Every structure is written in structure tokens, then in C-alpha cells.
Amino acid sequence: MKKPIWEPSAERVERANLSRFVRFAREQTGNDDLRGYAAIYDFSIHHPERFWPLVWEFCGIRSIGTFHDVIVAGEHVADTRWFPGVRLNVAQNLLRYRDDRAALIARDADGRWQETSYAQLQQQVARIAAALRESGIKPGDRVVGLLDHGSEAVVAMLASVAVGAVWSALPPHADAASLNAALRTLAPRAAFATGAVFARAELGLGFDARIAVGGPAANAAAWSDLLARDAAPLTFEASGFEQPLYALLREDGDISLHSAGGTLIQHLKDLVLHVDLKRDDRVLHAAAPHTAYWHWLTSALAAGSTLVLSDATFDPAHASAWDLVDEQAVSVIATDTAALARFAASPLQPRETHKLLTLKTVLANGPSPAGNDIEQVYARVKDRLMVSACGGDAGGLSFLALGCPLLPVYADELQCRALGMRVEMLGDAGSAVIEEPGTLACLAPFPGLPLGFVDDADDARFRTRYFSQHAHAWCSGERAVLTAREGVQFETRTDGQP
């Protein structure tokens, strides 16, 4: 019988957020059978109208309104609506803490590490939000960020979301033609960028606000000047659960829209229950701001964790990466499976050269890592470590399969199907199969299902992209195997992508 490469200790299981959630669900429902991951997963997919409100309450999501309705079915899976009686603001939830604990740790212009406390982050967001409001930015307007990874991108996003705007991050170093095409589609009313990017992607659009980060730009307010101003206490524009929050540029050029409530509850379910984030965690966050992974990781602020914002060149195949883990007392490394492969091919032996006392979790986003890559992490980094692979396209901002602090790790598979996601592998006949390859599918609606694509009449492209294989099941083209242990092993996608 195949043996796990890691199993959680009794102490880790007992302290896990998910263990507390299982006890909470048992108490709230009176169902004494809710014990362990298999039982809570089964409950989550068969009773979504009960499961998602429990996640809402357990994670302390701040909102106004009532839960009289949780799910309102539509003619199609994509037409399902969630929590119609609720209004909220995502920035308010990510800024729920206002104390002196570090929210962000990032390098300044001189390359020195600087800490921004939750109280300071609140003040910075208030000042940038005030500038947006003074420029006439209103709820529903689109704001674009063309920024490198750093605290400025986080502040700009939070300020935009606080005033009710839809945030869209674009890769600042892309060619001008690509940037201009995305900007024409988005038609944003405000933009954050460096002076050089403004010069390269100058459309003549009537931006109501241009904010230059890291240096001056013509006809643009300077970021440093705005942060030096006094501002009224931060206020948040509440919106409906289905209000667009993020407009995410995809690799194929389409721009997907993601709802405020769906994104928030999906992220907190993943980060609090699956990743097991707590207030004392420090998350090494190296994803670029235009990526889906950046949005997912930045939601860790809602858990009160500290984000260590390393630049996108962070690479565990370099000794400097492990220096940073020790220097900043990192407990969670967020990387990708390609980086783990580079580490496995490197000669590094961090367990021999570094202390790594605080490190407890490695997140790896992307295609299933090779079994040897995972084995090398345990052999050369640390034994007491949860290596949690995250994969399965749930629309860009969440996952269909990921890790679990209650379950063992097997070297060549993701630990489990995600809570609340009715995931199956569908064979050629369209029925669920086990221990043989099938099409990865989600057979029921989920809150984080995207609203659709920008500039897509009647959702034609969106439905062709995700529902053409099975009319009422979410499919992104990935192939996988559901193992006897209910882990997930990915194959190469049917469209040829990794």
C-alpha cells in the first residue's frame, strides 16, 4: 500500500482552523456525524444552503442584511445567485484589524525592508480612497493598476475597492499594444502606474484620476503627495453580493469579472480552512499583481496574517530565498510547482544551512508537482511541513482541489477536493469515474463562479469556454484522476496547456 510522505501531528490537527470549524458545524447543525474531512466535505456539497452560511459566520465576514435566502437557482448553473439579501465591502473585510501588528513587509525604493502595520495600512488606504472620491470615482467605476509587486499595489487595490470600484490589474511591462487593447476593453476611469508606463500606454482616455507611483508623470497626482495628506476616517461603500469586484485579464485576452461576495467567501474558505492561516502567520507572497494568485493571497489580510511581499523573482532554487524565510520568520511560503521543480534540480540543502524554525506550510500553485519534487522538499527542507499543492481552475480566483491540515500528503497528488465544490472526474459517457482519468468538473454552482467576461454579449464566449463540454457542469479542460484516497492527480490539459 502506498504510504504518505507526511502526516499531520495530533497537535496540528487539534489546533487547525478546520477542526474548529468541524466542531462549530456539528454544534450548529446538531449532526454528530460531522467528524473528519470526508464527513464535512460530504456535508458541504449536499447541503450548500447550510454550509456556506456556516463559513460566513465562522470566518466573521462583515456585512449588512439577512440570510433569508442563500441560493437562488437560475435556468443555468451560471445564473445561480447567492445571498441576495446581503451587502458588503471586501476592503472592509480585508481591513478588519487596525492594530500595530504588521500587515505588509516590503522593500522600499532603497531596497530596505519596511513594515506597514494594520493601523498604518488603514491610514494609507483612507488617503488614496479620498483622492479617488475627490476625482469623482463612484461605485461600479473601473480602476486599473499597472504596478509591480509591492505595498503600493495592495494599497491601490484596497482603496479602489473601498470606494466601490472594480479593480483590474494589468502587467505593467507588457507591450504597449497589449496594454492598450486591455484598456480599451476595460474603459477605466482611474489608473495607477509609473510615469514610464503612462508614457507607453497613453490612450488619450479621459481618466478622471491618474496617480503616479514611484516618480512624477505628466497630468498625474504623485503617490507620495497623496500619502502625505490628511484624510477623513476610511468609509466603505457596501454593495450586493454579486457586485463586480475584480476584472481579471486572462492569458487568452478575455477579461473575467468576479463578484465581491463570491470572491471573499471563496477566498476565506480556502485560506482559513484549507491553508489554515492564523493571525500569527507570515506569508511569503511573491505573485505579480496582475495574476489570479496575487488576488487570492492578498485576501490573507482578512485572516489578520502578515504578507511578506517579496518581488516576483523569489526562487526557492536560490539560497537568498531561504535567507528571507529566516530573516522574516516566514511560516507559509506561497510559490508554484515550477519553482518546486527548480528547487529539486538545485543542489541546495536548506535544512543544513538555515534554521527554518517558523516554516510550517509550502503552497504550490499550478499543475500537479512531480512526486520527486515533493519528496525533495521533505528531504532537504523540513520533515514537519505541509506541502499543499493547489490546482483545478475554478474561474481563476479559486481552486477545485488543494491541501488540508487534517489529511496526509502523498507525493504525487493534491490532498483533497475543495470544500463546497462538487468535484468529479467525468468519463467519456459523462458519468463520474474513480481511479481512471476523466474530465475535471464541478457539478454544482459555487459562490466564486465568475460573473462572465467583459464585452461578451449574452455570455457566449464565457459559456463556450466553461460549459461546452457538459452543459450544466463547470469544466475548464483539465484532466485528472480521483484516487481511492480522494486525492486528485492532474494530467496534461486537453487544450495542450500544462
Side-chain angles (χ1 to χ4, degrees):
M1 177 179 289
K2 187 175 181 180
K3 294 184 178 180
I5 196 168
W6 174 85
E7 293 187 77
S9 65
E11 179 185 8
R12 183 154 190 173
V13 169
E14 177 62 26
R15 295 183 58 196
N17 291 332
L18 184 52
S19 293
R20 292 193 299 111
F21 177 76
V22 171
R23 291 193 292 269
F24 175 71
R26 195 161 60 237
E27 293 166 359
Q28 294 298 308
T29 63
N31 183 351
D32 196 54
D33 292 332
L34 294 180
R35 297 178 182 275
Y37 189 79
I40 198 67
Y41 176 76
D42 187 71
F43 172 79
S44 75
I45 62 172
H46 288 102
H47 302 284
E49 76 290 345
R50 302 176 74 186
F51 170 74
W52 289 105
L54 289 174
V55 173
W56 193 291
E57 186 175 353
F58 183 82
C59 293
I61 294 178
R62 298 186 175 187
S63 63
I64 55 177
T66 64
F67 287 172
H68 290 320
D69 294 311
V70 175
I71 306 172
V72 180
E75 293 184 6
H76 188 271
V77 172
D79 297 326
T80 301
R81 294 295 172 255
W82 297 80
F83 297 99
V86 168
R87 295 175 62 80
L88 53 79
N89 184 280
V90 170
Q92 182 178 24
N93 280 275
L94 269 60
L95 293 170
R96 66 180 66 182
Y97 297 101
R98 304 182 183 183
D99 54 24
D100 292 331
R101 182 169 297 204
L104 308 175
I105 301 175
R107 286 189 176 96
D108 62 17
D110 297 321
R112 294 171 299 192
W113 289 97
Q114 300 290 342
E115 291 192 6
T116 301
S117 70
Y118 271 91
Q120 292 168 330
L121 180 59
Q122 186 103 193
Q123 294 170 353
Q124 292 181 15
V125 172
R127 289 163 183 164
I128 302 301
L132 292 173
R133 286 189 168 106
E134 289 169 8
S135 299
I137 304 304
K138 303 183 301 297
D141 289 340
R142 292 174 185 164
V143 176
V144 67
L146 300 103
L147 300 170
D148 290 319
H149 192 40
S151 59
E152 293 87 354
V154 176
V155 173
M157 179 275 285
L158 291 171
S160 301
V161 172
V163 304
V166 181
W167 172 257
S168 184
L170 301 178
H173 304 295
D175 62 272
S178 298
L179 290 181
N180 288 345
L183 289 169
R184 278 191 292 268
T185 300
L186 287 166
R189 292 191 60 202
F192 294 84
T194 65
V197 171
F198 274 129
R200 281 198 308 116
E202 182 53 73
L203 291 179
L205 290 177
F207 291 124
D208 293 281
R210 291 161 48 101
I211 299 175
V213 179
N219 302 315
W223 178 271
S224 56
D225 291 344
L226 296 179
L227 288 186
R229 298 169 50 184
D230 291 329
L234 183 59
T235 58
F236 303 95
E237 299 290 339
S239 65
F241 190 95
E242 302 290 341
Q243 170 70 26
L245 168 72
Y246 294 140
L248 186 68
L249 179 65
R250 295 158 40 90
E251 290 185 1
D252 61 11
D254 266 319
I255 298 173
S256 56
L257 285 172
H258 301 263
S259 71
T263 298
L264 180 64
I265 195 169
Q266 201 90 32
H267 283 186
L268 287 182
K269 184 266 298 181
D270 291 352
L271 295 167
V272 173
L273 301 185
H274 284 279
V275 180
D276 198 32
L277 287 186
K278 300 180 174 69
R279 276 227 76 187
D280 57 359
D281 279 316
R282 290 190 166 205
V283 182
L284 202 158
H285 179 348
H290 65 277
T291 64
Y293 202 32
W294 183 92
H295 295 73
W296 187 75
L297 289 168
T298 303
S299 288
L301 292 171
S305 302
T306 299
L307 299 181
V308 180
L309 303 176
S310 174
D311 59 37
T313 61
F314 170 84
D315 192 336
H318 297 156
S320 60
W322 304 101
D323 294 341
L324 181 57
V325 171
D326 277 349
E327 290 167 7
Q328 298 298 337
V330 167
S331 58
V332 179
I333 293 176
T335 186
D336 56 45
T337 53
L340 291 190
R342 291 194 299 274
F343 169 75
S346 78
L348 295 183
Q349 298 282 344
R351 71 185 308 159
E352 304 295 334
T353 56
H354 293 74
K355 294 180 179 179
L356 309 178
L357 296 177
T358 55
L359 184 62
K360 67 176 187 178
T361 301
V362 173
L363 302 175
N365 172 39
S368 291
N372 179 66
D373 297 346
I374 300 297
E375 291 170 355
Q376 291 301 308
V377 172
Y378 282 101
R380 292 156 51 190
V381 177
K382 197 171 184 178
D383 293 320
R384 299 176 62 185
L385 188 68
M386 183 174 76
V387 179
S388 176
C390 311
D393 179 12
L397 291 180
S398 188
F399 301 99
L400 297 180
L402 26 63
C404 174
L406 310 186
L407 297 175
V409 171
Y410 292 86
D412 58 350
E413 63 189 65
L414 281 68
Q415 287 172 278
C416 61
R417 294 173 287 180
L419 289 168
M421 314 293 276
R422 193 166 188 168
V423 175
E424 299 288 355
M425 315 306 147
L426 302 182
D428 294 338
S431 57
V433 295
I434 298 177
E435 295 192 272
E436 63 181 83
T439 299
L440 181 70
C442 189
L443 306 186
F446 52 95
L449 196 154
L451 300 172
F453 295 155
V454 175
D455 194 23
D456 180 20
D458 300 322
D459 285 335
R461 294 197 312 278
F462 177 71
R463 299 207 178 183
T464 297
R465 177 67 182 85
Y466 289 111
F467 296 98
S468 59
Q469 289 180 276
H470 299 276
H472 295 286
W474 170 276
C475 299
S476 62
E478 294 161 294
R479 299 273 296 177
V481 174
L482 182 66
T483 70
R485 295 174 293 276
E486 299 198 358
V488 177
Q489 296 173 323
F490 282 90
E491 294 188 334
T492 301
R493 288 169 48 138
T494 57
D495 59 9
Q497 297 299 314

